[in-house]
Amino acid sequence: MKFFAFHLMPWDRLPDDFEKNHKTAWTWLPNEIFDPQHGGELYNNYLDQLVLADELGFDGVCVNEHHQNAYGTMPSPNLMASILARQTKNCKIAVVGNAIPFYDPPTRCAEEFAMIDCISGGRLIAGLVVGGGPEYYSFSKNPTFAREMYREAFDLIMRAWTEPGPFEHYGKHWKLKYVNPWPRPIQQPHPPIWIPGAGSRETIQFVAERRFAYMGIPYFHMDFFQRNFDMFRDACEKCDYTADPEQLGWLLPIYTAETDEQAWAEYEPHLWYFVKKLLKGLVVFPPGYTSARSIAGIQKGLQQFMSTCETREDIEKGGYAIVGSPETVRQKLSERIQKLGVGNLLGLFQLGTLPHDLTCKSMKLFAEKVMPGLREELNVESALS
Amino acid sequence: MPSTIKSENKTLNIAGKKTQLTILGEGPPLLYLHSAGGETEPIAFHKKLAEKHTVYLPAHPGFALSEGLDRIDDINDMAWHYVDLIQELGLEDVPVVSYSLGAWIASEVKLLRPRLIGPTVMIAAAGLHVDGAPMAELFIDEFDDLRKLLFFNPESQEAKDYFPSDVNDPRILMWLRAREATARVGWNPYLHNPKLLQHLHRLDSPVQLIWGKQDKLIPAAHGEYYAAHLPNAKLIELEECGHMVPYEKTEEAAEIALDFLLTENA
């Protein structure tokens, strides 16, 4: 069982009239709202939180890529990961992930990931993603080519890491006479690969076939995760092997305080800022991003999405976030981790407007009072091997 | 309108692409090129045209039951598909009535094979980028917002009938397919071909432009630009009309189109 601290690096100062005047926290939200001075403070706090995760004994930290939005102000996770490669000592650095259809050419991703792997001494986990729906608007990238661009970019990056260069690549979307990235990654033949998914069969099949790790996209109802993870395990069986729990990751918001009551009191306003403001506009399916049938299906699945929650009870019942005393958090996580059969827990410890001091306090409590018990109970050693 | 109009459905094989074709009415041939909305089933506007013409109403690749979108990467591929289709139908110098996305396709086909297409009616045509008159965002999810964008009166019955109202509407799959096929050729550059501007002087056959004055998707300034730069074009702007000209001004637009074609073919 491995524990990761995941960060979105959200914008915490949306105007009071946001809900009235803005339909979304994405793409069309005027960037005047972003205050660079305050942005600098936030970035430094957020990096401090991830460095703290390393010091507290988390197995890894996670950063990710989003563009033109308030939900996650990290357009370049590789910049953050490269800082963390220097400032952390032991933990894995999971970039979940680079949106590779937007890298032109995608060999930039192979190069930058290799740099991070070298600087960190081989601690990179390489996440490769299609890119979120809103980002196809932000970049004016044609979403009807998203999947084929992803596959071409993916295969190209894998070749760039594993085949001696220079070689030629003449694909549909990129034509490269010389593929020969310097540097190469420390981890051979390549860093571990993580791929997030929101339940589309195409992605599950792709990850299972190649024996990579599948990360469940957060903010869905527990039952939705269960269905997707079961589907993944079935897909692995059909490929003639049994999935390792470490091939599955579960990402969810976690908050720990001294007591249940205190945890909710400290956490709740920040949680609702996240749910009601930052999630607004996250789930957008531009045309062709996935098949028409999948879009129709996922639209229905969205009836089980965190943004439909109105009360604390809704959050708890759907398992959208785990909030409480160390004992409550431990007990709920233990039960659900076993039920879901996942080997990686990706905790979102900071979210919305949650201040730096509360985030650090929650992470410390979690690391000191939740993680050791869970490690023992789930009968596995610390991953810092 | 006659109560019965001759109607026939066919499936063509156009260079390996399965293509849905509806043929309506009797008389000299007329090719209708539909919009991003995918009006591939006969609507009142088509029926008006079919009173005087045999209307060929194909569905573009990826729309309705037409396939082959996997072989369409851009508007140029779409135009070549129509070069093949017009030749398959044995037509030459065929009059065209075209609407929005379809009107853009008509321009591109005309550039590739000038002799295939005759006098052309272009309604609320996509295809251009006009400085100072940006096109609005068509690729949004909210049906109510789309209705407001496209219709002069979003509360009208035709506005309500034309759009699915939510994801449970049985038309949703076809709607999503139409949206995907439009995005394929119109996502970037957004609903236009930057090179079309420099070719406009080559499109020298007669063109009748029809625009809704209150078109919010493709502002009337685009019609004025086409009219100013096409060598042989005239423009009629319709009052109290948005982008959905064939729905909002069915009779008026059909009459303009039929009069123009009658004059040009005389």
Side-chain angles (χ1 to χ4, degrees):
Chain A
M1 188 68 214
K2 292 192 170 139
F3 298 92
F4 287 77
F6 191 101
H7 221 302
L8 294 168
M9 307 201 170
W11 184 250
D12 66 348
R13 286 188 186 172
L14 286 175
D16 293 340
D17 66 358
F18 169 79
E19 276 138 305
K20 191 169 143 238
N21 292 330
H22 300 285
K23 289 194 144 182
T24 172
W26 294 78
T27 312
W28 295 278
L29 182 68
N31 68 353
E32 276 173 333
I33 293 171
F34 185 87
D35 165 10
Q37 281 294 342
H38 181 60
E41 288 160 29
L42 280 182
Y43 282 133
N44 282 292
N45 284 347
Y46 292 161
L47 284 164
D48 285 347
Q49 290 159 19
L50 294 176
V51 172
L52 175 68
D54 182 45
E55 291 163 3
L56 290 171
F58 279 83
D59 298 290
V61 292
C62 307
V63 289
N64 63 354
E65 177 174 335
H66 290 296
H67 299 269
Q68 300 190 180
N69 74 102
Y71 163 90
T73 61
M74 198 168 5
S76 172
N78 298 357
L79 285 182
M80 291 309 184
S82 56
I83 293 169
L84 292 164
R86 288 277 293 174
Q87 286 204 284
T88 62
K89 297 289 173 254
N90 299 307
C91 66
K92 300 279 183 197
I93 299 164
V95 182
V96 196
N98 277 4
I100 50 179
F102 306 150
Y103 285 67
D104 194 10
T107 44
R108 282 194 70 91
C109 165
E111 291 171 337
E112 291 179 15
F113 271 176
M115 284 176 73
I116 296 166
D117 202 46
C118 288
I119 296 167
S120 67
R123 291 186 285 130
L124 176 78
I125 293 171
L128 301 169
V129 300
V130 180
E135 273 120 19
Y136 282 82
Y137 292 85
S138 294
F139 277 134
S140 293
K141 271 279 175 215
N142 193 323
T144 73
F145 295 114
R147 301 283 156 177
E148 64 181 49
M149 288 178 86
Y150 178 70
R151 281 175 183 259
E152 184 181 333
F154 192 100
D155 291 342
L156 173 60
I157 290 166
M158 296 303 283
R159 283 188 70 198
W161 278 338
T162 55
E163 280 182 32
F167 61 82
E168 287 185 338
H169 171 84
Y170 283 99
K172 177 171 171 189
H173 294 280
W174 293 280
K175 279 107 184 137
L176 307 171
K177 187 149 167 36
Y178 305 106
V179 178
N180 191 27
W182 283 65
R184 297 190 301 118
I186 287 180
Q187 298 181 85
Q188 288 295 318
H190 56 75
I193 308 284
W194 282 9
I195 297 173
S200 93
R201 279 177 189 279
E202 296 109 309
T203 305
I204 284 176
Q205 188 62 29
F206 181 81
V207 180
E209 273 168 17
R210 300 182 186 218
R211 300 197 179 211
F212 297 142
Y214 180 76
M215 299 297 122
I217 296 252
Y219 325 130
F220 281 102
H221 194 281
M222 276 287 295
D223 297 346
F224 187 85
F225 282 111
Q226 189 76 55
R227 281 200 299 276
N228 285 344
F229 293 157
D230 287 346
M231 214 194 295
F232 179 77
R233 279 184 283 264
D234 287 348
C236 294
E237 292 296 338
K238 287 198 183 102
C239 295
D240 296 323
Y241 72 101
T242 299
D244 188 297
E246 293 221 353
Q247 275 181 272
L248 285 166
W250 176 34
L251 167 55
L252 89 165
I254 298 172
Y255 189 75
T256 320
E258 288 72 0
T259 64
D260 288 351
E261 201 181 334
Q262 191 182 336
W264 274 108
E266 287 172 359
Y267 192 57
E268 204 165 350
H270 311 295
L271 174 73
W272 291 123
Y273 174 96
F274 176 75
V275 172
K276 294 298 170 193
K277 291 190 161 93
L278 295 182
L279 286 186
K280 218 174 163 187
L282 163 66
V283 187
V284 171
F285 289 98
Y289 177 73
T290 182
S291 67
R293 211 163 276 283
S294 288
I295 291 180
I298 296 170
Q299 291 285 7
K300 286 181 184 162
L302 287 176
Q303 288 151 6
Q304 287 186 310
F305 198 66
M306 196 178 191
S307 51
T308 61
C309 292
E310 295 296 338
T311 64
R312 182 190 297 189
E313 288 68 38
D314 293 341
I315 299 279
E316 292 205 295
K317 222 187 278 173
Y320 294 102
I322 305 271
V323 184
S325 69
E327 181 47 31
T328 301
V329 170
R330 192 199 58 74
Q331 179 244 317
K332 283 190 175 173
L333 280 176
S334 164
E335 185 189 304
R336 286 168 195 186
I337 286 168
Q338 293 185 63
K339 193 153 178 285
L340 292 173
V342 296
N344 298 294
L345 178 71
L346 283 47
L348 185 64
F349 290 95
Q350 195 281 338
L351 122 176
T353 44
L354 190 70
H356 183 56
D357 57 339
L358 290 181
T359 305
C360 294
K361 181 173 78 109
S362 165
M363 287 173 68
K364 278 181 196 155
L365 273 175
F366 184 86
E368 286 161 12
K369 302 206 169 156
V370 180
M371 242 158 45
L374 281 178
R375 280 195 174 126
E376 199 176 320
E377 186 187 347
L378 300 170
N379 198 25
V380 284
E381 292 163 15
S382 162
L384 300 178
S385 48
Chain B
M1 192 186 300
S3 55
T4 53
I5 289 177
K6 210 173 144 189
S7 171
E8 186 187 353
N9 295 308
K10 279 188 173 181
T11 303
L12 305 179
N13 178 340
I14 305 298
K17 297 194 224 50
K18 188 181 149 194
T19 301
Q20 171 182 316
L21 175 71
T22 302
I23 305 169
L24 278 186
E26 286 169 284
L30 183 161
L31 177 65
Y32 180 89
L33 296 178
H34 69 77
S35 74
E39 65 284 15
T40 54
E41 298 300 316
I43 57 172
F45 183 73
H46 299 137
K47 290 173 188 164
K48 290 295 292 180
L49 300 175
E51 287 174 19
K52 300 279 169 62
H53 289 270
T54 301
V55 178
Y56 291 90
L57 173 58
H60 310 327
F63 283 83
L65 300 178
S66 287
E67 293 171 1
L69 191 66
D70 56 338
R71 289 164 55 200
I72 302 287
D73 283 351
D74 54 28
I75 199 70
N76 199 44
D77 291 340
M78 191 66 102
W80 281 115
H81 171 76
Y82 276 100
V83 168
D84 293 340
L85 184 137
I86 295 166
Q87 285 173 340
E88 175 72 27
L89 294 176
L91 299 171
E92 196 166 324
D93 202 29
V94 64
V96 172
V97 175
S98 58
Y99 170 35
S100 194
L101 171 66
W104 178 17
I105 295 170
S107 302
E108 301 282 349
V109 176
K110 184 89 186 157
L111 282 174
L112 292 176
R113 290 286 186 274
R115 268 179 297 184
L116 290 184
I117 287 186
T120 305
V121 178
M122 293 171 66
I123 304 169
L128 299 182
H129 173 88
V130 177
D131 282 338
M135 288 183 274
E137 179 62 82
L138 178 64
F139 299 110
I140 54 176
D141 292 331
E142 294 84 10
F143 294 110
D144 289 345
D145 289 349
L146 274 173
R147 219 175 267 119
K148 281 182 207 154
L149 172 66
L150 296 172
F151 285 88
F152 173 72
N153 176 9
E155 300 307 319
S156 64
Q157 196 55 44
E158 63 265 21
K160 285 178 182 157
D161 291 346
Y162 182 59
F163 268 98
S165 50
D166 60 57
V167 291
N168 297 315
D169 190 300
R171 293 171 293 183
I172 194 72
L173 273 180
M174 280 300 170
W175 187 84
L176 285 168
R177 289 195 79 222
R179 191 168 169 260
E180 174 175 350
T182 305
R184 187 69 145 207
V185 299
W187 189 271
N188 185 15
Y190 180 61
L191 295 176
H192 74 284
N193 171 5
K195 292 200 169 174
L196 185 57
L197 290 172
Q198 70 207 44
H199 287 306
L200 289 180
H201 69 280
R202 298 193 174 95
L203 297 171
D204 55 2
S205 63
V207 172
Q208 174 69 60
L209 296 156
I210 306 176
W211 234 271
K213 260 198 172 160
Q214 288 83 19
D215 190 331
K216 292 195 279 284
L217 178 68
I218 306 180
H222 288 237
E224 287 150 22
Y225 194 100
Y226 267 120
H229 292 84
L230 290 170
N232 192 6
K234 50 192 175 169
L235 168 68
I236 294 180
E237 293 185 4
L238 301 175
E239 297 288 348
E240 298 196 345
C241 182
H243 185 69
M244 304 299 278
V245 177
Y247 296 86
E248 296 183 284
K249 297 285 170 187
T250 308
E251 305 277 323
E252 213 173 328
E255 262 171 45
I256 297 167
L258 289 170
D259 285 353
F260 165 76
L261 295 178
L262 193 64
T263 315
E264 290 306 327
N265 282 330

